Amino acid sequence: MIIEAVTKYFDMMIGMPVQYEGCKPGLGYDELEGPPPPVLPSRKTVIVGMVGFVGTMNGIINLYLEEDLAKKVTGSFLGMTPEELASEGPEVIHDSLGEMANMVVGTFKNTVSDKGFQCRMTVPSILRRTNFTIETPSGVFRMLYMFKVMNDPFIADLTMKPGD
Amino acid sequence: MQLKILTVDDSRAVRIIVKKAFKTYNVEILEAANGVEGLAMAAKQLPDLILLDVTMPVMDGVEMLTKLKAEPSLKAIPIIMLTAEAGREMVLKIAKLGIRDYIVKPFKEDVLNEKVGRIIDLRPISDTQAKRKTLSDPCEVLVVEDKPAIIQQINSGIRVPTWKVHGVASTGETIDYCQKNVPDIIIISLSLPDEAADTLFRLLRSNMKTKYVPVFALAVKTDLHAQQQAQQFGFTSIITKPIDYDELESKIAKAVNLDTSERYFVFDQNILVVKIPDSTSATVFNEINAYLKPKISEAVDQGYSKVIFDVHAAKNVNMSLIKLLVDAMQICMELTLSYALVGNPQMVQECKGFEESKDWKFNDSIDAAKAQL
């Protein structure tokens, strides 16, 4: 469902091909001896778009990409040149990545809802840093889905567990 | 008159995309970032269509939709939900509140254009760049109605001398007529037998000659079911019987993008006179409101510094009239124009009953207002 959601977003809104490269389980902090490695190891600034879903299934999807790709994706999303984008400031990039997360998570959540797990989405958040990781407790389902967009890495990090 | 689409979405990116999607069409895109702003904008601008998101801070799309449907002056505005929330239950819940369509994000731009184009008359900018027609240009109104008395009524009710009304009684006659002359506007009676109105509407929309001709539905005021169906079908507008001819003329003018400002704005020597008609219909006030800022700005551009608001024809005073005048005075103050009011004794008295207008000073004639200025 995640792969379909990411592919649909890039196909419909960006017009860029996206390649799925495989997935691996994300480890909770109880399963690691030392600090966990960054999800997207990079010396460049990494931006994460985050949207959660709450209901009979709870979870969050974090979408990781480097700043350079974020600019390219935003430019295609909004039909803006790099110069126009630069004049708008970083806010428009953050807003676009928030909307990207909203659309990807929306597609995923709608399928989950149609399977009988009613949930609602949260408003998007953005995280922008270098060399960081987001940890999750053990006992929840966590999977990292790796993609390539124009040879740059793009990672969808899904964490979820059934609601009460 | 340019059509208006209001996009209500907390994401600026989505609002930019909506703007981009319609940049080649003759529409004005209005923006709001949440339900509260959206309601205020809808009440002020009366858009022709609203694109509404669901998940938003402050007030979400479901609450805004509920409030819009509860407000008599706004409930007829067609709404398309444009949202990532598309679980079956959510769609059913929203559909029950009365929306025209649902677009799930992510979406293709042409899907957005197509769905909006089914509801409002989207025209490319190139089609509308030619000089705007005015009330003195001819306009042909084709009425499809099997009762000759109604056609006769419309013919006598329309007061613009350059508008010609032609009546036909059936689908066949309409098609034959449109092969020879393409009318500026078509009014179809929903009481034609055998659901002929729906069939005819579809035929007109599938014919290249009439594809972009605005088509109004004519329905009995109390037949809400027929009106709702016509709205869902995509008729440009609905006219109800008994017909309010101020409203009909105003809707025709808007649909054919006619400049009707000469009715209300007169450039008299060095003074702009704004003539408020006797009608108290919201449609007429909205029409005047749409011209207000551009016409007063035009006056300033041409060196005018004085404005007279001539309200003596008004039969009674209501909040729409007061709001219109408050807005107009505000524009004058912003542009440092001096202004004066002309009223009749009855309305002068009625104005004293409203907080906003209790201190207004009226003159009893244009000459007296000129002298005051």
Side-chain angles (χ1 to χ4, degrees):
Chain A
M1 289 191 290
I2 281 277
I3 303 163
E4 187 197 330
V6 170
T7 311
K8 190 172 175 186
Y9 168 78
F10 277 96
D11 176 40
M12 285 191 158
M13 303 306 298
I14 310 295
M16 280 182 190
V18 56
Q19 281 170 282
Y20 172 60
E21 304 225 306
C23 63
K24 63 179 183 190
L27 298 175
Y29 53 67
D30 292 350
E31 296 154 303
L32 293 160
E33 288 180 358
V39 168
L40 177 53
S42 172
R43 276 182 288 178
K44 297 176 183 169
T45 302
V46 171
I47 305 180
V48 188
M50 304 182 285
V51 170
F53 45 95
V54 187
T56 50
M57 184 65 80
N58 296 326
I60 187 163
I61 296 176
N62 302 325
L63 302 175
Y64 291 71
L65 66 173
E66 289 171 345
E67 192 173 27
D68 289 348
L69 179 60
K71 285 180 183 169
K72 286 181 211 162
V73 167
T74 303
S76 298
F77 187 46
L78 303 181
M80 286 182 175
T81 62
E83 294 74 30
E84 285 169 332
L85 214 52
S87 70
E88 291 280 343
E91 189 59 36
V92 76
I93 297 176
H94 295 170
D95 192 70
S96 297
L97 297 183
E99 194 52 38
M100 171 184 75
N102 194 42
M103 290 184 188
V104 170
V105 178
T107 306
F108 175 83
K109 188 233 63 158
N110 294 334
T111 314
V112 169
S113 290
D114 289 344
K115 289 184 188 296
F117 297 96
Q118 291 309 317
C119 35
R120 294 207 62 178
M121 287 153 61
T122 66
V123 290
S125 313
I126 293 293
L127 178 66
R128 178 193 172 91
R129 285 218 64 172
T130 47
N131 197 26
F132 67 97
T133 189
I134 298 172
E135 297 178 23
T136 48
S138 299
V140 298
F141 174 84
R142 187 177 182 194
M143 191 65 78
L144 306 180
Y145 298 85
M146 263 71 68
F147 299 87
K148 275 270 160 70
V149 180
M150 297 173 80
N151 283 325
D152 289 321
F154 179 93
I155 297 172
D157 175 1
L158 165 69
T159 302
M160 65 179 188
K161 68 168 191 173
D164 297 328
Chain B
M1 216 173 284
Q2 200 177 28
L3 295 172
K4 293 175 187 170
I5 297 175
L6 169 61
T7 164
V8 187
D9 203 304
D10 57 327
S11 163
R12 189 169 154 236
V14 171
R15 302 197 306 266
I16 292 173
I17 289 170
V18 169
K19 258 190 169 169
K20 185 166 70 90
F22 294 102
K23 73 177 177 195
T24 57
Y25 293 95
N26 185 35
V27 288
E28 181 185 356
I29 304 294
L30 310 167
E31 298 178 45
N34 57 56
V36 173
E37 281 183 21
L39 278 174
M41 184 68 87
K44 191 175 173 198
Q45 298 279 350
L46 289 177
D48 299 282
L49 184 134
I50 298 176
L51 295 168
L52 182 58
D53 187 18
V54 172
T55 311
M56 292 183 288
V58 187
M59 182 193 285
D60 69 16
V62 177
E63 189 178 350
M64 177 178 162
L65 178 59
T66 311
K67 287 188 190 307
L68 275 172
K69 293 296 172 190
E71 173 56 51
S73 61
L74 305 178
K75 69 177 181 188
I77 300 174
I79 293 159
I80 295 181
M81 300 305 291
L82 179 61
T83 174
E85 280 277 5
R88 226 171 280 140
E89 285 204 1
M90 176 61 86
V91 175
L92 286 174
K93 179 182 167 188
I94 291 170
K96 277 184 196 159
L97 293 171
I99 55 163
R100 292 289 289 278
D101 217 326
Y102 207 107
I103 300 174
V104 180
K105 298 175 189 170
F107 59 90
K108 288 222 183 257
E109 209 174 276
D110 49 4
V111 171
L112 178 63
N113 291 338
E114 193 218 317
K115 293 205 173 195
V116 168
R118 276 190 215 158
I119 299 172
I120 60 171
D121 188 20
L122 273 185
R123 290 180 188 219
I125 287 172
S126 53
D127 286 6
T128 52
Q129 270 174 346
K131 187 180 174 293
R132 270 180 83 179
K133 285 184 174 181
T134 67
L135 286 167
S136 44
D137 289 303
C139 173
E140 193 171 335
V141 181
L142 179 67
V143 181
V144 189
E145 168 64 83
D146 57 349
K147 299 173 197 73
I150 303 280
I151 296 174
Q152 185 51 45
Q153 267 178 31
I154 296 175
N155 198 12
S156 355
I158 289 181
R159 295 152 302 179
V160 184
T162 51
W163 292 9
K164 295 278 171 281
V165 175
H166 185 89
V168 288
S170 66
T171 303
E173 280 182 46
T174 311
I175 301 300
D176 284 350
Y177 185 86
C178 291
Q179 286 302 324
K180 294 173 204 142
N181 325 275
V182 179
D184 296 286
I185 199 113
I186 301 172
I187 301 174
I188 304 177
S189 168
L190 295 185
S191 58
L192 291 174
D194 305 324
E195 297 184 345
D198 293 352
T199 315
L200 178 56
F201 179 78
R202 258 184 297 205
L203 284 169
L204 291 169
R205 281 291 172 260
S206 61
N207 183 323
M208 276 315 289
K209 275 189 170 178
T210 51
K211 190 177 172 68
Y212 295 115
V213 175
V215 181
F216 290 1
L218 182 61
V220 177
K221 197 168 196 167
T222 49
D223 192 352
L224 299 178
H225 177 67
Q227 290 174 41
Q228 200 177 8
Q229 270 195 325
Q231 214 176 38
Q232 278 167 358
F233 230 78
F235 277 84
T236 313
S237 190
I238 295 164
I239 303 298
T240 55
K241 292 185 276 192
I243 299 170
D244 173 341
Y245 287 96
D246 284 328
E247 191 185 2
L248 174 61
E249 288 183 9
S250 188
K251 285 186 172 178
I252 291 177
K254 185 171 184 181
V256 300
N257 193 28
L258 208 64
D259 181 353
T260 55
S261 60
E262 64 193 76
R263 246 186 202 168
Y264 315 113
F265 297 84
V266 178
F267 291 92
D268 178 10
Q269 294 166 358
N270 62 340
I271 297 174
L272 169 65
V273 181
V274 183
K275 295 193 292 182
I276 310 292
D278 57 357
S279 166
T280 49
S281 119
T283 319
V284 171
F285 284 137
N286 290 333
E287 195 180 336
I288 300 173
N289 217 0
Y291 290 122
L292 211 51
K293 205 159 189 173
K295 278 290 163 189
I296 296 179
S297 302
E298 187 186 327
V300 172
D301 260 0
Q302 292 178 17
Y304 289 70
S305 60
K306 296 168 184 172
V307 181
I308 292 174
F309 298 106
D310 179 6
V311 204
H312 86 274
K315 285 183 183 138
N316 55 41
V317 175
N318 57 25
M319 273 318 289
S320 302
L321 174 61
I322 290 183
K323 192 176 170 306
L324 177 76
L325 289 171
V326 167
D327 289 348
M329 291 174 195
Q330 183 65 35
I331 295 170
C332 288
M333 282 189 275
E334 283 168 11
L335 296 170
T336 61
L337 294 170
S338 49
Y339 60 86
L341 292 158
V342 177
N344 62 52
Q346 187 197 330
M347 64 151 308
V348 171
Q349 199 54 40
E350 286 180 32
C351 277
K352 293 191 193 307
F354 293 88
E355 185 58 32
E356 294 84 349
S357 57
K358 65 180 172 23
D359 299 324
W360 289 354
K361 301 273 180 282
F362 286 88
N363 295 282
D364 54 11
S365 68
I366 295 273
D367 287 338
K370 282 181 181 171
Q372 184 202 320
L373 291 169

